Amino acid sequence: MNPTLPNPAPEAAGAVTAEDEASARAVLNRLRRAQGQLAGVITMVEEGRDCRDVVTQLAAVSRALDRAGFKIIAGRMRECLTAPEDGGTPAMNEAELEKLFLTLA
């Protein structure tokens, strides 16, 4: 390490905080729940269940995936706008973040 440069703060150096870990766990839980729901939908289709029931469950899977995506974006919004890559520009500007957010809408 260059002795003339100060040590970066742990978050700036890419350290994972307890908040980051909790957020990642929450997203993974949502995704696993959606995975289980999707498996249920597949079983329903294989069994020839009523289309209303299948579509209702499929909509629940879609909402669960949307929530996971929104959770990811919400958790990273501040970081994406403020954390510079290589000490330069922010990782993502507001327009890019908005476009990413709208892909879930």
Side-chain angles (χ1 to χ4, degrees):
M1 180 180 265
N2 186 340
T4 60
L5 298 176
N7 288 334
E11 289 181 17
V16 177
T17 65
E19 185 178 329
D20 290 338
E21 288 179 12
S23 181
R25 278 193 307 274
V27 168
L28 287 172
N29 287 339
R30 288 176 189 264
L31 291 173
R32 287 186 182 111
R33 189 174 314 123
Q35 183 179 33
Q37 290 174 312
L38 183 56
V41 171
I42 291 168
T43 300
M44 292 172 76
V45 171
E46 290 171 343
E47 294 173 351
R49 297 275 299 271
D50 182 72
C51 68
R52 288 174 289 217
D53 294 337
V54 172
V55 170
T56 298
Q57 290 305 310
L58 195 55
V61 173
S62 180
R63 284 190 303 272
L65 291 173
D66 287 345
R67 283 190 213 108
F70 288 132
K71 179 85 173 152
I72 290 168
I73 290 174
R76 298 291 180 225
M77 205 174 270
R78 183 171 21 96
E79 180 182 329
C80 287
L81 287 172
T82 60
E85 291 179 359
D86 302 319
T89 59
M92 191 177 297
N93 67 37
E94 188 174 344
E96 292 169 323
L97 187 61
E98 181 179 354
K99 183 177 177 181
L100 182 63
F101 188 80
L102 290 175
T103 62
L104 294 171

